[in-house]
Amino acid sequence: MREPVQWLGSWFRYRQRPALQGRPNSAAGVSFNDFVSAYLSKDRPAYANIAQQSDFITDKNGALLVDHLYFYSDLPAALQFLEKRLQQTITLPLVNKSPQRGGEDMSLSPELTAELHRANALDFEIYEALQSGNLSRLR
């Protein structure tokens, strides 16, 4: 799992890549604040039509459906767990990497930050529980 604002930042950069130029899912020319505003809107444009992280790991009531959850930034720990469990070495190629761009303002306005926290409350709750090591409260 990724910190929710960083996760959206990655999607923002990914949707700005040149290969998408001219397509509906391109976020070219859109600021990060505008991208997040579009993501939070009722009728999302194609470039901001992204599911929440929690949609992949919880049931419709918000209870966790997974037994093991790792930080995106600690992928080696997840691989180590899988290698031990499967008793084989796993080598993952690097694909779908968001382009890194220097100098880009990836901060959100305080109002937009508060709105994102309300709209994606479960994502933030899961991330904070993962940080504290207390995922059991979400089962």
Side-chain angles (χ1 to χ4, degrees), residues 11-36 38 45 47 101 104-106:
W11 271 107
F12 170 69
R13 290 187 308 276
Y14 187 70
R15 294 280 169 100
Q16 287 195 327
R17 69 191 192 282
L20 294 180
Q21 198 89 33
R23 295 186 180 168
N25 59 345
S26 172
V30 176
S31 72
F32 185 53
N33 271 269
D34 289 341
F35 178 83
V36 174
Y47 67 81
R101 307 222 289 260
E104 227 170 340
D105 183 11
M106 300 295 285

Side-chain angles (χ1 to χ4, degrees), residues 70-96:
Y70 295 89
F71 289 113
Y72 175 81
S73 60
D74 195 12
L75 192 55
L79 284 175
Q80 185 178 25
F81 167 80
L82 289 171
E83 287 178 342
K84 185 176 179 182
R85 182 65 62 98
L86 299 172
Q87 298 179 344
Q88 67 181 50
T89 301
I90 299 172
T91 304
L92 295 178
L94 185 59
V95 296
N96 289 340

Side-chain angles (χ1 to χ4, degrees), residues 56-128:
F56 298 97
I57 58 175
T58 63
D59 65 17
K60 63 181 178 173
N61 298 316
L64 278 180
L65 295 172
V66 296
D67 294 324
H68 302 280
L69 189 62
Y70 295 89
F71 289 113
Y72 175 81
S73 60
D74 195 12
L75 192 55
L79 284 175
Q80 185 178 25
F81 167 80
L82 289 171
E83 287 178 342
K84 185 176 179 182
R85 182 65 62 98
L86 299 172
Q87 298 179 344
Q88 67 181 50
T89 301
I90 299 172
T91 304
L92 295 178
L94 185 59
V95 296
N96 289 340
K97 185 174 187 323
S98 299
Q100 294 297 321
R101 307 222 289 260
E104 227 170 340
D105 183 11
M106 300 295 285
S107 61
L108 296 175
S109 69
E111 300 80 17
L112 199 51
T113 298
E115 187 179 345
L116 180 61
H117 275 263
R118 280 190 302 276
N120 287 26
L122 185 56
D123 281 17
F124 284 98
E125 182 181 358
I126 294 168
Y127 185 79
E128 289 165 14

